[in-house]
Amino acid sequence: MSIEITLLIAIASLSASIYFDLKNSKRGDRSDIEAKAAETATINVKLDNIGNDVKDIKYDISAVKTDVQNLAERMVIVEQSTKSAHHRIDGIEEKERK
């Protein structure tokens, strides 16, 4: 009878040990999943912010390209005007020499 009680206690202890081990394992898995989900959400938010920043930079670059194009066109006009002015000045200098 003493062996039966000892065997019964051993089986009960083993069963309890297995039960609590499984329960703690599930709890750990759940917290790991929650931590990974929070980390993934944070990464997604940061990626969205980076994407928005890239869009803003593309818009700014497009605006700068337009400004440079406008300045290039204005510079061509100024160069033509300067060339014309030099031509007129050269004409005036030749008249004064004669």
Side-chain angles (χ1 to χ4, degrees):
M1 178 146 174
S2 139
I3 295 177
E4 293 173 0
I5 293 175
T6 306
L7 187 60
L8 194 60
I9 291 173
I11 291 173
S13 296
L14 181 62
S15 298
S17 175
I18 291 172
Y19 170 76
F20 288 117
D21 187 44
L22 289 175
K23 188 174 181 181
N24 286 336
S25 175
K26 287 181 183 177
R27 186 177 302 149
D29 289 346
R30 190 175 302 138
S31 64
D32 287 346
I33 291 170
E34 289 173 357
K36 286 180 183 180
E39 183 179 353
T40 301
T42 302
I43 290 170
N44 285 337
V45 168
K46 288 180 180 181
L47 286 174
D48 288 343
N49 289 338
I50 290 170
N52 289 335
D53 291 345
V54 167
K55 286 179 185 176
D56 291 343
I57 290 170
K58 283 182 178 180
Y59 176 77
D60 291 343
I61 287 173
S62 177
V64 168
K65 283 181 180 179
T66 302
D67 290 345
V68 168
Q69 182 64 34
N70 291 338
L71 288 173
E73 291 170 2
R74 289 176 60 194
M75 188 172 72
V76 167
I77 293 170
V78 169
E79 286 175 344
Q80 290 172 351
S81 176
T82 303
K83 198 181 219 183
S84 175
H86 279 289
H87 184 68
R88 287 191 305 267
I89 291 171
D90 290 342
I92 292 171
E93 287 177 348
E94 283 186 30
K95 285 182 183 178
E96 287 182 4
R97 286 185 196 157
K98 291 184 181 183

